[in-house]
């Protein structure tokens, strides 16, 4: 059974930093691209960032480019999202999601974690 | 960016009825790159349909996807009590974007 478990969320001040982690199990982690997707009541679902299976390719939404960094450690079956210079509009539930192929493009998300809340507020 | 517009915003139906959910794209999307997800309150989205019409593992055959170019449809043939939820479409042809969702509520 595929399981994705996020951690690292919480309250952070504007301009601050946070690192999200996602531990994966139940599949060959190093064979699939992974993504972070966030959700708010106002803007809905938004693909934030994705990374290829080997970690060699990454993509970012324009809204987070230059502030967020995605990475993965295939030896630990773990996906990360480093969030720097956070803003109020980054407040959301962040989901770790498994993509349907190794290359991080033109994929759907076939499994999702339970989500973790990030709140940006002073 | 391809904008996906879902309608209606809310669908009020009774168990056993047929649900038809629409997703309209702002520009043509290959039907091979359209997915549908179900989300229940407090839970993560769950993949229902990918490639426009292929059911994900474990998804019952009362769920079906169809459509092409800019108009796509998710049909639930006979609503079961567990089907009342929010449904999202997603295109993954050009980057990836989601619709804003259709809530299927019990009448």
């Amino acid at each position: 059974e595929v399981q994705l478990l996020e951690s690292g969320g919480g309250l952070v001040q504007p301009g601050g930093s946070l690192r999200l982690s996602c531990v994966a199990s139940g599949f060959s982690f190093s064979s699939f691209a992974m993504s972070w997707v966030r959700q708010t009541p106002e803007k809905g679902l938004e693909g934030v960032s994705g990374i290829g299976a080997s970690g060699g390719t990454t993509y970012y939404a324009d809204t987070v480019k230059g502030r967020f960094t995605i990475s993965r450690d295939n030896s630990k079956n773990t996906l990360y999202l480093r969030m720097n210079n956070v803003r109020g509009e980054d407040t959301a539930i962040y989901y770790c999601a498994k993509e349907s192929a190794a290359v991080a493009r033109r994929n759907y998300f076939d499994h999702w974690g339970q989500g973790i809340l990030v709140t940006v507020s002073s | 960016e391809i904008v996906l517009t879902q309608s209606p915003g809310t669908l009020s139906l009774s168990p056993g009825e047929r649900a038809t959910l629409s997703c309209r794209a702002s520009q043509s999307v290959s039907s091979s790159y359209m997915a549908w997800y179900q989300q229940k309150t407090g839970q993560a989205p769950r993949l229902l349909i990918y490639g426009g019409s292929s059911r994900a593992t474990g998804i019952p055959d009362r769920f079906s996807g169809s459509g092409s170019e800019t108009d796509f449809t998710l049909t639930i043939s006979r609503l079961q009590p567990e089907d009342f939820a929010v449904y999202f479409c997603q295109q993954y042809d050009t980057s990836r974007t989601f619709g804003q969702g259709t809530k299927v509520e019990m009448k």
Side-chain angles (χ1 to χ4, degrees), chain B residues 15-75:
Chain B
E17 289 193 296
R18 182 185 189 89
T20 303
L21 287 66
S22 173
C23 176
R24 179 160 291 178
S26 60
Q27 59 192 79
S28 185
V29 173
S30 167
S31 59
S32 300
Y33 298 101
M34 181 62 72
W36 290 89
Y37 301 86
Q38 176 193 67
Q39 186 176 34
K40 297 181 180 179
T41 303
Q43 296 184 17
R46 177 176 73 144
L47 176 68
L48 296 175
I49 300 288
Y50 64 94
S53 60
S54 297
R55 279 185 298 278
T57 302
I59 301 304
D61 60 7
R62 64 180 180 271
F63 290 92
S64 62
S66 62
S68 62
E69 297 190 350
T70 59
D71 289 291
F72 296 87
T73 300
L74 174 71
T75 302

Side-chain angles (χ1 to χ4, degrees), chain A residues 8-99:
Chain A
L11 177 64
V12 58
Q13 292 189 338
S17 297
L18 204 63
R19 189 179 81 160
L20 305 182
S21 299
C22 170
V23 177
S25 61
F27 66 102
S28 177
F29 182 73
S30 61
S31 297
F32 292 92
M34 298 291 294
S35 274
W36 291 97
V37 180
R38 67 186 180 186
Q39 185 175 31
T40 64
E42 299 79 22
K43 293 189 177 181
L45 289 161
E46 177 189 21
V48 172
S49 182
I51 187 168
S54 65
T57 57
T58 58
Y59 76 85
Y60 298 93
D62 288 342
T63 50
V64 306
K65 204 171 290 183
R67 300 187 298 119
F68 290 11
T69 302
I70 192 171
S71 62
R72 63 191 295 162
D73 185 337
N74 286 345
S75 68
K76 295 182 178 179
N77 287 357
T78 303
L79 176 72
Y80 302 100
L81 185 68
R82 178 69 179 180
M83 305 167 63
N84 291 335
N85 191 22
V86 296
R87 307 166 179 167
E89 54 265 36
D90 297 320
T91 295
I93 295 173
Y94 285 74
Y95 294 100
C96 166
K98 173 183 172 290
E99 300 199 19

